[in-house]
Each structure stands twice: as structure tokens, then as C-alpha cells.
Amino acid sequence: MMPAHQPLPSGIALEALLVELRRLSWGAADILLAYGRGEQPPYGFARALSVEEGGEGPVSAADLAVNRWLLDGLAGAFPAAAWTVLSEETAKEQLTPGEPLAAEWLWILDPLDGTKDFLQGTGEYAVHLALVHRGEPVLGVVLLPEMEELWLGVMATLSGGAGEAWCENRAGDRQPVRFSGRRALGELVLVASRNHRDQRLEQLLAALVLGDTRAIGSVGGKVATILRGETDLYISLSGKSAPKDWDMAAPEAVLRAAGGAFSHADGRPLAYNSGDVRQAGCLVASHGLSHLELCQKVAVAMASIDPGFRL
């Protein structure tokens, strides 16, 4: 049975919301590009001082500026909206461990996903915005400033029709999602983290015997490679730390709206605003063509690699 159509909160029209999200996204891109290049950022934000000068570093300055831009933008455009906004930058003040926020509708924001890549100048960082309804992401925005790509995904439960995802440039020109046609596990191309890998992940990849592997920074950037057809799957295997709600919500919404899949390796869906922002376990994102088979093989391999590990 298809899920019931769930409109947006009272007074919010989808097209008007998308217009505002485009404005906020490209504004965030301008802010991050300026900080990354050591230039004066727009919209009145202060230029970052270098660490050597005893000032605020470019990453924290960029984080805080984009966070303020997004929070103020949503509040200004939709002052009466019946939703709550949770950002990585405000989570410590907003959250109580073990207690979900009392919000039917929740924005989950990451103003800068991929801080190491931002610092290293790889360009592989992203901005994430996701609208979550009762624990499930229904709208996602993944912005890749350096690539001038804005990925948008609207789930069927929100649109009332089929789920849809696409990529836009600054001019508003749209490009469709182009999943690869690769199905056999031996042909699939995996996109993995450059900075978050451990021995268990290396063992898992060896057990799966996939076709190839690429390394990309942010989660949003990884999922974008799947949406372009360059890769086919992404696996997150928690080690000492785990990704958080703001790492996964927007990329999941865009990928699933496009017809892809994103789940735990045992098939469980990801849950947001659960009282624990950690997205722990073994998470698998893919173009969907071999998702069930892939998850089954991952589960079998992990039972040998790390017995007792909760997928």
C-alpha cells in the first residue's frame, strides 16, 4: 500500500518553499566559497581571521555564518510555520539525550558537511537541509558549492504524486538523475569515505568483491556520485564514532525520492529525531537495483568480521 499523501504544514506551499530553498542554498554557496578563498563573505558576515592571528578559523566562521543565514532565512520567509529547526550548530543547546524533540515537522540542517575537505581544499563539501515528518525525511536539499550543483528531492508522501529528484545549476536549469545500469555485485562501484575508514570496512569491501571504489568527502557528495551514475553504492560502518542525523537526512531524502534505497544492512529504515542523533550501525545507500542482495551479503560478511555487531 502506498503511503498517504501528507501535505506540508498549514500555510506552506511546496513551490513557494522550493523557491526559498533555492535562494537560501545559493546564498550559502556564496558564503562558503568566499570563506574557502579567503575573501570577504557576502550578507554582512565578518571575514575570518587565521588561527595564527588569534582569530576565528575559516571553518568555524563559515559554519556559523551559513548556519545563521539558513536559520534566519527560514524564519523570515515562514515566520508562522509549524515546524522546528535543528542544526548541527545548535544541537547541544536544543537536545536532551534520550528525548526526541516535540516536533511533528522538523528541519535538520548541516551548514557544512565535510569540514576536513573544506580545510584541505578538495571542494568535496556540502550543505544539507532535510524536512522530516514524524521521523521520516520527505524533502531533501544537497548543495555542492564548488560544483555548482543543487540536488533537490521530494518524496511521494509530500508531493501527492511520484517521488522526484533532480539537479539544478544557478540558472535553474535542471538535469535528471542518471543511475547507472550496473546490477551485478562484481560490477558495482562503491563510494567510500576518505577520512573515516577502519579495518572492518576494508575487510567488508574485500568480502563483497565489488567492481571498483572511489573516495569522496561529504555524505552529500557521495550520494551525488550515485545520482550521477558515477558510483552505485555507499556504506557507512560506524567505528568509534557514528554519523549524525544531519549527515544522513538530506542525502537519504534525495536518493530515495529518485528511486534509490537507503537502509540499515538488515533492512531497517533510518529513524530521525529518535532521541539519539547517532546513525550507528551498518548503513547502505544504493541506486536500488541490487539493494536487497547487497544488504544480505553485507549482513553475512559482518557476522564473520564482527560477530554481535548490530547492523
Side-chain angles (χ1 to χ4, degrees):
M1 177 182 292
M2 289 293 292
H5 168 45
Q6 173 59 55
L8 285 161
S10 177
I12 308 297
L14 179 58
E15 283 307 315
L17 177 58
L18 291 175
V19 167
E20 189 62 22
L21 290 174
R22 291 182 181 101
R23 184 187 74 83
L24 292 175
S25 294
W26 292 119
D30 291 336
I31 294 168
L32 288 172
L33 290 169
Y35 277 114
R37 296 167 184 169
E39 300 170 354
Q40 176 63 49
Y43 313 117
F45 291 106
R47 186 169 180 169
L49 298 176
S50 69
V51 175
E52 289 76 14
E53 293 171 310
E56 189 174 57
V59 171
S60 58
D63 261 333
L64 294 172
V66 173
N67 186 66
R68 179 49 50 199
W69 168 255
L70 296 176
L71 294 181
D72 289 351
L74 284 171
F78 308 102
W83 56 40
T84 300
V85 183
L86 171 68
S87 168
E88 179 184 15
E89 298 302 316
T90 60
K92 288 184 179 179
E93 291 75 33
Q94 287 182 268
L95 297 176
T96 300
E99 296 183 13
L101 290 172
E104 179 180 359
W105 292 95
L106 178 67
W107 281 103
I108 300 178
L109 312 183
D110 190 344
L112 178 53
D113 183 57
T115 53
K116 289 185 178 179
D117 287 274
F118 184 81
L119 268 179
Q120 293 165 0
T122 69
E124 296 171 1
Y125 59 89
V127 178
H128 296 171
L129 301 89
L131 183 59
V132 171
H133 181 250
R134 294 178 179 171
E136 180 182 3
V138 293
L139 187 154
V141 178
V142 173
L143 169 72
L144 305 177
E146 297 283 353
M147 298 190 71
E148 296 275 308
E149 289 185 354
L150 179 60
W151 290 93
L152 295 152
V154 181
M155 295 288 288
T157 51
L158 191 64
S159 67
E164 184 182 11
W166 66 94
C167 181
E168 295 184 5
N169 61 18
R170 283 183 184 261
D173 301 322
R174 288 193 181 191
Q175 294 294 328
V177 171
R178 293 188 174 91
F179 289 138
S180 85
R182 294 180 287 265
R183 286 180 174 269
L185 294 187
E187 298 176 345
L188 298 183
V189 179
L190 176 133
V191 58
S193 292
R194 176 179 292 110
N195 298 311
H196 303 283
R197 302 176 72 135
D198 63 14
Q199 187 59 38
R200 294 178 310 163
L201 179 60
E202 300 297 343
Q203 291 176 279
L204 176 58
L205 299 185
L208 293 176
V209 195
L210 301 170
D212 199 3
T213 302
R214 288 188 57 187
I216 295 289
S218 72
V219 178
K222 293 180 181 71
V223 168
T225 67
I226 299 175
L227 296 166
R228 296 189 210 102
E230 300 164 359
T231 68
D232 307 300
L233 69 142
Y234 160 56
I235 296 175
S236 170
L237 184 60
S238 298
K240 293 180 180 179
S241 62
K244 308 297 192 298
D245 281 4
W246 40 82
D247 297 308
M248 298 300 187
E252 179 190 352
V254 178
L255 183 61
R256 289 181 53 218
F262 208 136
S263 71
H264 286 264
D266 60 7
R268 287 182 298 120
L270 279 66
Y272 297 91
N273 192 30
S274 66
D276 183 353
V277 296
R278 296 173 300 171
Q279 291 291 345
C282 186
L283 313 181
V284 182
S286 79
H287 57 19
L289 299 178
S290 308
H291 195 77
L292 180 59
E293 179 186 2
L294 179 64
C295 285
Q296 290 172 340
K297 288 189 175 293
V298 168
V300 170
M302 286 305 301
S304 174
I305 295 168
D306 191 355
F309 178 77
R310 187 170 188 267
L311 299 175

